């Protein structure tokens, strides 16, 4: 049943959202790599005034094993205020939680007890395949007229094409495949949109057979992983333009369009260049009628003693940064960049998106450095800042350390562990919060992947109205 | 048409104009996107035209058929349909879908037409139309039709739709301009009560009223 007044977590514009109250809870996807115990959503207290601040205060086990929880998202968000199909009285209360390995999709209700989300629906892999011909569901975005869910694989087998399925945002039924005309798009990963411009953007990783057993060196050196981004007509659901970054740039993953609905640019992170193991961030922008891209951030690999490296990297005597996630603050000012290989979280001032300015860095973990958290200086950390989530006001940044089960094992063969760190950010600095570091046994033997913040965060909402300050 | 009928048509038009989902919010969004009051103002006529078309079709059909069929049959059948439609709107989980923010004036009118039709905007006028005497017959509600009554009656329906739309346009334009110029869209977070539910309730009430008046 719908509400009488709009959901209070919906905001018409980015600046309104930036004024939202701070999140009290964070939801974290936790998975068991051995597939012996069920995966879970862990609930972490993020209220500094609380006695249990920084601790796991809720836990919802899922009914099956082997799902490999990865990304997830809300059923509804600020896009419900968009005027084309307004639904302001739906509620942001359900988490849509896909199992990347099992292809199941769970729906969890957070309303009655936000600390113990309750499973209310399960979509089977068979249903997703039958109705949308997709498998390996990955990214969730709440659109004004439904829930958009990207998937890496086709409905049957371990190959592509991957794409986007649509779910009803109230019944969660699979409505079908989103694409009306996909052209030669085959590889899928992330997607997001310029909602007011009727533009949808998708990126490329690989099909299930290319990723599920780990990074395949032959495919990487053969430049077979994704290196293109696609621009679609959001209304007509057809591919309009494809831009190739160049086949040395392997794995164009996370897409972060500007939140300002009057802007038409965004950033995409590239994991690795096969020519020098560097990572990069690219800007897309509209020029005339079409989109152009340019590399705006380049992060070089760091020389390393082969003895400190996992077998896959020893021949190169260098540790690649591996930019596996990026996140743009709601005011579009700062871009956070995860370097999962070197164990570093970088920040860039992207007020001028064409000219990012390096604005600080924090080390944590890393293949070689293994930098400990300041609160536990005697514990070298594995993994690195991976999924990064920024609060709506931009003052808090959360990072988890697992990338993907089989890839964790390759790059951190001695175990990746599990940790969630929080940083406090201001205009001038960002530093690790020494009171907030749930890790190790707190996650009950699971690895932690993505974080979602109660009420919304910087990577889950879309706005249809420009901020008052940007209006003339 | 009596003064009471006109007043009812105007009130229902104002009610439709008040609903952000019926159009004015779209006009505000377009204005803000382009940072132009002119764009906002230019968006209003197509939205009103789409609404008029949706309402006029229903109104013309009701008025015309009333002159060829016994009015109480039309009234009661219409009333029952209206109650059913209202309950369906109230209880169903369905929602209107339309793709795209970048629309031409014609597409915007089409959007408005579909939005109004899907919400049963024209049907809401049934109590007014079903109780309005048909031109050319003093007691149309109790007589079989006279030849030549239909076209004239349809015109009455179109007139009613026009009056209704003028009120809708005026209120819609007022809301759009006040929000665009003074309040800002953040007002929606507090002021946008669930018009859809009220709307469904009004449909049910309109149906019941029609049955009561014509039976």
């Amino acid at each position: 049943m719908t509400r009488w007044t709009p959901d209070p977590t919906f905001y018409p514009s980015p600046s309104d959202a930036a004024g939202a109250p701070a999140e009290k809870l964070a939801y974290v996807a936790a998975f068991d790599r051995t597939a012996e115990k069920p995966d879970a959503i862990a609930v972490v207290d993020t209220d500094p005034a609380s006695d249990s601040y920084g601790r796991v205060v809720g836990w919802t086990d899922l009914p099956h094993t082997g799902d490999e929880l990865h990304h997830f998202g809300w059923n509804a968000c600020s896009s419900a205020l968009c005027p084309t199909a307004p639904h302001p009285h739906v509620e942001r209360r359900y988490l849509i939680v896909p199992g990347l390995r099992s292809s199941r999709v769970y729906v969890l209700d957070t309303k009655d007890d936000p600390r113990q989300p309750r499973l209310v629906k399960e979509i089977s892999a068979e249903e997703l395949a039958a109705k949308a011909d997709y498998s390996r569901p990955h990214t969730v975005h709440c659109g004004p007229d439904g829930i958009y869910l990207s998937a890496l694989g086709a409905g049957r087998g371990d190959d592509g094409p991957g794409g986007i399925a649509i779910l009803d945002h109230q019944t969660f039924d699979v409505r079908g495949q989103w694409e009306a005309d996909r052209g030669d798009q085959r590889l899928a990963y992330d997607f997001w949109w310029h909602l007011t411009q009727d533009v949808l953007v998708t990126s490329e990783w690989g099909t299930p057979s290319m990723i599920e057993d780990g990074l395949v060196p032959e495919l990487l050196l053969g430049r077979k992983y994704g290196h293109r981004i696609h621009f679609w007509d959001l209304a007509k659901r057809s591919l309009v333009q494809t831009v190739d970054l160049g086949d040395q740039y392997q794995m164009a993953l996370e897409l972060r369009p500007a939140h300002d609905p009057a802007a038409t640019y965004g950033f995409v992170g590239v994991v690795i260049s096969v020519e020098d193991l560097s990572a990069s961030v690219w800007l897309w922008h509209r020029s005339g009628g079409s989109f152009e891209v340019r590399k705006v951030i380049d992060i070089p690999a760091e020389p390393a003693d082969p003895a400190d490296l996992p077998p896959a990297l020893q021949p190169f005597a260098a540790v690649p940064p591996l930019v596996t996630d990026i996140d743009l603050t709601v005011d579009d000012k700062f871009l956070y960049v995860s370097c999962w290989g070197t164990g570093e979280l970088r920040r860039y001032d992207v007020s001028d998106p064409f000219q990012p300015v390096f604005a600080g860095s924090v080390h944590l973990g890393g293949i070689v450095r293994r930098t400990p958290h300041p609160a536990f200086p005697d514990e070298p950390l594995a993994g690195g800042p991976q999924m990064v989530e920024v609060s709506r006001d931009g003052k808090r940044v959360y990072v988890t350390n697992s990338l993907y089960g089989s890839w964790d094992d390759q790059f951190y063969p001695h175990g990746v562990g599990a940790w969630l760190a929080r940083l406090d950010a201001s205009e001038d600095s960002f530093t690790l919060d020494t009171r907030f570091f749930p890790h190790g046994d707190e996650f009950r033997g699971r690895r932690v992947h993505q974080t979602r913040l109660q009420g919304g965060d910087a990577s889950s909402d879309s706005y249809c109205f420009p901020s008052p300050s940007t209006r003339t | 048409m009596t003064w009471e009928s006109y007043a009812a048509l105007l009130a229902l038009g104002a009610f439709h104009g008040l609903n952000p989902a019926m159009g004015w919010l779209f006009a505000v969004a377009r204005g803000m996107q382009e940072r132009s009051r002119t764009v906002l103002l230019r968006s209003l006529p197509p939205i009103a035209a789409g609404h008029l078309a949706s309402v006029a079709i229903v109104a013309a059909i009701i008025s015309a058929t009333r002159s060829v069929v016994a009015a109480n049959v039309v009234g009661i059948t219409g009333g029952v349909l209206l109650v059913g439609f209202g309950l369906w709107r109230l209880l169903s989980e369905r929602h209107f879908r339309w793709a795209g923010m970048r629309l031409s004036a014609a597409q915007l009118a089409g959007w408005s037409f579909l939005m109004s039709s899907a919400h049963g905007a024209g049907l809401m006028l049934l109590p007014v139309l079903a109780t309005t005497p048909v031109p050319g017959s003093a007691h149309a509600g109790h007589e079989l039709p006279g030849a030549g009554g239909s076209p004239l009656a349809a015109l009455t329906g179109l007139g009613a739709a026009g009056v209704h739309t003028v009120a809708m346009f005026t209120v819609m334009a007022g809301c759009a301009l006040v929000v665009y110029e003074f309040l800002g869209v953040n007002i929606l977070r507090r002021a946008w009560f669930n018009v859809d539910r009220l709307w469904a309730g009004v449909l049910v009430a309109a149906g019941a009223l029609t049955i009561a008046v014509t039976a």
Side-chain angles (χ1 to χ4, degrees):
Chain A
M1 201 61 183
T2 51
R3 295 168 49 89
W4 274 110
T5 53
D7 186 307
T9 70
F10 295 167
Y11 293 89
S13 71
S15 69
D16 293 327
E23 65 284 349
K24 296 275 178 68
L25 295 173
Y27 296 95
V28 184
F31 72 98
D32 179 29
R33 171 66 178 136
T34 64
E36 290 167 358
K37 291 174 285 190
D39 293 356
I41 292 294
V43 186
V44 178
D45 188 335
T46 60
D47 179 4
S50 163
D51 290 340
S52 52
Y53 175 63
R55 302 235 298 277
V56 175
V57 293
W59 189 272
T60 300
D61 273 328
L62 296 176
H64 301 280
T65 57
D67 287 315
E68 183 141 8
L69 298 193
H70 198 72
H71 292 200
F72 60 115
W74 294 105
N75 67 309
C77 54
S78 297
S79 66
L81 296 174
C82 287
T84 48
H87 300 287
H89 306 103
V90 298
E91 293 179 281
R92 187 207 300 265
R93 64 183 278 184
Y94 300 100
L95 289 169
I96 312 299
V97 185
L100 182 55
R101 206 167 279 271
S102 69
S103 299
R104 286 187 202 98
V105 182
Y106 299 100
V107 181
L108 301 181
D109 185 354
T110 66
K111 187 175 185 184
D112 296 334
D113 183 356
R115 294 177 174 221
Q116 301 287 346
R118 186 170 54 90
L119 180 68
V120 293
K121 188 179 172 94
E122 181 182 320
I123 300 168
S124 68
E126 291 74 24
E127 184 181 351
L128 183 63
K131 292 183 176 169
D133 195 20
Y134 284 134
S135 66
R136 281 71 165 205
H138 188 270
T139 299
V140 180
H141 278 301
C142 28
D145 57 355
I147 299 164
Y148 292 61
L149 174 67
S150 76
L152 303 184
R156 301 274 178 266
D158 297 329
D159 199 10
I164 297 171
I166 300 289
L167 313 184
D168 186 279
H169 70 179
Q170 286 176 323
T171 65
F172 313 114
D173 289 334
V174 180
R175 282 192 164 161
Q177 197 165 80
W178 176 76
E179 294 83 3
D181 176 8
R182 72 167 73 248
D184 71 346
Q185 178 269 332
R186 195 173 77 86
L187 302 180
Y189 180 75
D190 198 15
F191 73 98
W192 214 353
W193 43 51
H194 296 293
L195 213 45
T196 63
Q197 319 284 318
D198 296 336
V199 172
L200 182 138
V201 191
T202 65
S203 62
E204 297 187 336
W205 186 11
T207 61
S209 66
M210 297 168 71
I211 62 163
E212 285 195 331
D213 297 325
L215 175 69
V216 183
E218 297 75 34
L219 292 177
L220 181 70
L221 296 175
R223 307 180 179 211
K224 300 293 189 197
Y225 287 100
H227 46 86
R228 304 190 298 172
I229 55 176
H230 305 276
F231 298 92
W232 305 71
D233 185 318
L234 181 58
K236 297 194 175 99
R237 308 182 169 205
S238 57
L239 183 63
V240 174
Q241 188 189 351
T242 294
V243 175
D244 196 331
L245 307 183
D247 66 6
Q248 70 269 40
Y249 297 105
Q250 290 282 287
M251 295 176 275
L253 296 188
E254 301 289 340
L255 300 164
R256 298 289 177 253
H259 295 90
D260 176 1
T264 317
Y265 68 84
F267 299 94
V268 54
V270 174
V271 175
I272 195 164
S273 161
V274 291
E275 294 187 342
D276 57 9
L277 303 190
S278 65
S280 50
V281 176
W282 297 61
L283 173 78
W284 76 77
H285 62 101
R286 185 132 71 176
S287 175
S290 62
F291 283 92
E292 293 179 1
V293 295
R294 69 163 73 175
K295 188 163 67 174
V296 290
I297 296 171
D298 200 274
I299 305 171
E302 298 177 359
D305 182 344
D308 296 335
L309 294 171
L313 291 174
Q314 282 169 356
F316 304 101
V319 57
L322 301 176
V323 167
T324 49
D325 194 20
I326 59 176
D327 207 23
L328 183 63
T329 53
V330 171
D331 62 6
D332 297 332
K333 176 158 190 201
F334 288 112
L335 185 73
Y336 288 88
V337 179
S338 282
C339 302
W340 187 65
T342 45
E344 183 181 16
L345 182 67
R346 291 179 164 227
R347 179 167 86 158
Y348 293 85
D349 183 333
V350 289
S351 303
D352 176 358
F354 291 89
Q355 303 282 345
V357 177
F358 184 71
S361 142
V362 162
H363 284 283
L364 208 54
I367 291 170
V368 173
R369 279 199 186 85
R370 301 179 61 88
T371 310
H373 192 279
F376 297 86
D378 300 328
E379 296 182 21
L381 292 179
Q386 208 281 112
M387 290 310 291
V388 47
E389 195 52 75
V390 181
S391 64
R392 288 167 294 183
D393 59 10
K395 291 178 179 165
R396 295 166 303 284
V397 182
Y398 299 85
V399 286
T400 43
N401 76 321
S402 163
L403 174 63
Y404 182 50
S406 51
W407 295 44
D408 294 341
D409 298 345
Q410 270 181 318
F411 289 96
Y412 293 91
H414 302 297
V416 76
W419 47 265
L420 167 65
R422 166 167 145 163
L423 300 100
D424 296 311
S426 69
E427 287 286 306
D428 305 319
S429 71
F430 68 109
T431 53
L432 283 161
D433 182 335
T434 53
R435 293 177 59 210
F436 189 103
F437 191 59
H439 66 291
D441 293 341
E442 284 210 64
F443 290 111
R444 307 184 188 182
R446 273 66 157 196
R447 299 182 188 179
V448 288
H449 187 72
Q450 195 197 28
T451 306
R452 284 270 173 240
L453 305 180
Q454 187 181 34
D457 44 55
S459 71
S460 59
D461 276 26
S462 309
Y463 311 94
C464 272
F465 302 91
S467 299
S469 57
T470 63
R471 286 175 217 149
T472 51
Chain B
M1 294 288 269
T2 62
W3 287 113
E4 289 82 1
S5 304
Y6 282 119
L9 289 171
L10 290 171
L12 287 169
F15 175 54
H16 291 177
L18 203 61
N19 186 351
M22 269 311 121
W24 67 256
L25 185 60
F26 211 151
V28 169
R30 286 162 63 96
M32 285 182 170
Q33 291 297 319
E34 307 297 328
R35 296 174 187 179
S36 159
R37 189 194 304 118
T38 309
V39 170
L40 182 156
L41 293 172
R42 280 194 189 141
S43 302
L44 296 174
I47 293 169
H51 188 82
L52 174 64
S54 171
V55 170
I57 288 172
V58 177
I61 290 172
I62 293 171
S63 299
T65 51
R66 273 194 62 241
S67 60
V68 293
V69 184
N72 55 350
V73 174
V74 173
I76 291 168
T77 310
V80 169
L81 285 174
L82 204 45
V83 171
F85 187 68
L87 288 173
W88 176 74
R89 292 286 319 167
L90 194 62
L91 301 175
S92 82
E93 297 281 283
R94 296 172 61 86
H95 45 84
F96 179 76
R97 289 167 63 85
W98 179 267
M101 280 280 287
R102 301 271 145 178
L103 304 180
S104 66
Q107 289 170 319
L108 193 57
W111 172 85
S112 176
F113 176 79
L114 289 178
M115 199 74 165
S116 302
S117 303
H119 284 77
L123 291 175
M124 214 180 277
L125 308 189
L126 192 63
V128 182
L129 299 169
T131 54
T132 302
V134 172
S137 62
H139 304 287
H142 302 286
E143 287 178 4
L144 289 173
S150 301
L152 208 55
L155 278 179
T156 307
L158 292 179
V163 170
H164 168 85
T165 303
V166 167
M168 185 265 181
F169 181 87
T170 307
V171 171
M172 171 175 75
C175 288
L177 284 169
V178 166
V179 168
Y180 181 84
E181 299 288 348
F182 305 110
L183 297 179
V185 281
N186 209 18
I187 186 75
L188 292 170
R189 300 188 59 240
R190 296 181 296 279
W192 192 348
F193 68 95
N194 197 334
V195 183
D196 277 0
R197 277 210 236 172
L198 180 65
W199 188 282
V202 171
L203 282 172
V204 173
L209 185 66
T210 308
I211 295 170
V213 169
T214 55

